[in-house]
Amino acid sequence: MTLMTRSTLMTRLTRLTRLTLMTPMTGVTRGTGAARTTHRPTRRGALLLGCAAMVALTGCAGSLPRDSQGTLDRATGGILHVGASENAPWTQIDPDGTVGGTEAELVTRYAESIDATIEWEVAALSVLALKVENDELDLVIGGLTADTPWSDTISPTRPYQKATAEDGSTQKMVIGVRPGENALQVSLERFLAEQEGEL
């Protein structure tokens, strides 16, 4: 792929901003009766711009996001190692060890999208975080939030959903990814965005 200069990249991003980030709105200027058109940013536009920026940036680097240990390539058509810590309704562990819950269903659908088979590891988050650090797990689920205390060993995805906690506060739900596995994280985040209808 031909490398792009910084100025070319900025030009492309500027054009994309004008085309995708702003939605026209027509109104009437007070006191004149004249129609005027303003613009406002849209969530879809911001997402499209983010994807376009990623493509443009990979054009500069000449490659797609890479995993430090090739996790996405290994898991595609192979095994995806997922740790689960019980935290209903996100994750539920049956007496026979079967993993269920909304996040388990999400990860199962993601695995199907890359033709992977999940190998589950059930344990407390502290144990799972250690296994991630030792490169034994690819993903971790268990009702993790964007402010997870395990962010030093687990890379959280972009929030895929908002939930209301028992104290009434809003929590941003995430899934944990093994740090350094950028291609896996980008692939999972795109899948989550598609599931939420954002792409």
Side-chain angles (χ1 to χ4, degrees):
M1 185 180 292
T2 302
L3 297 181
M4 291 186 295
T5 65
R6 182 181 180 86
S7 60
T8 301
L9 172 61
M10 294 306 297
T11 299
R12 289 190 182 185
L13 291 179
T14 299
R15 289 175 180 171
L16 286 167
T17 301
R18 292 172 179 170
L19 290 173
T20 64
L21 187 58
M22 309 302 282
T23 296
M25 296 179 61
T26 301
V28 177
T29 302
R30 182 181 298 179
T32 64
R36 61 182 176 86
T37 300
T38 59
H39 296 76
R40 67 177 180 183
T42 66
R43 186 182 185 188
R44 181 177 178 81
L47 286 166
L48 288 172
L49 179 61
C51 291
M54 183 178 68
V55 171
L57 288 171
T58 56
C60 287
S63 63
L64 293 173
R66 296 176 182 238
D67 288 333
S68 63
Q69 299 189 36
T71 300
L72 181 59
D73 286 341
R74 184 257 299 153
T76 301
I79 304 296
L80 184 67
H81 300 273
V82 182
S85 177
E86 186 162 24
N87 185 6
W90 315 105
T91 46
Q92 297 174 320
I93 314 300
D94 292 341
D96 63 357
T98 300
V99 181
T102 57
E103 287 188 346
E105 293 172 2
L106 264 180
V107 169
T108 298
R109 291 202 298 272
Y110 171 68
E112 291 172 350
S113 75
I114 61 172
D115 194 29
T117 300
I118 294 180
E119 185 173 291
W120 294 102
E121 178 78 26
V122 177
L125 276 176
S126 57
V127 176
L128 298 178
L130 181 60
K131 287 181 175 292
V132 170
E133 193 170 17
N134 292 333
D135 298 329
E136 298 176 36
L137 293 174
D138 305 321
L139 303 177
V140 172
I141 60 174
L144 293 171
T145 58
D147 59 352
T148 174
W150 306 108
S151 59
D152 56 336
T153 55
I154 298 174
S155 177
T157 62
R158 61 180 294 278
Y160 71 87
Q161 181 180 331
K162 291 182 179 180
T164 302
E166 293 182 357
D167 61 3
S169 63
T170 299
Q171 296 181 326
K172 298 179 179 180
M173 310 309 299
V174 301
I175 291 175
V177 182
R178 180 147 50 113
E181 304 311 283
N182 303 316
L184 174 65
Q185 183 151 345
V186 168
S187 172
L188 176 58
E189 289 182 343
R190 181 175 180 82
F191 171 83
L192 294 172
E194 289 172 348
Q195 295 299 298
E196 292 299 311
E198 298 177 351
L199 290 177

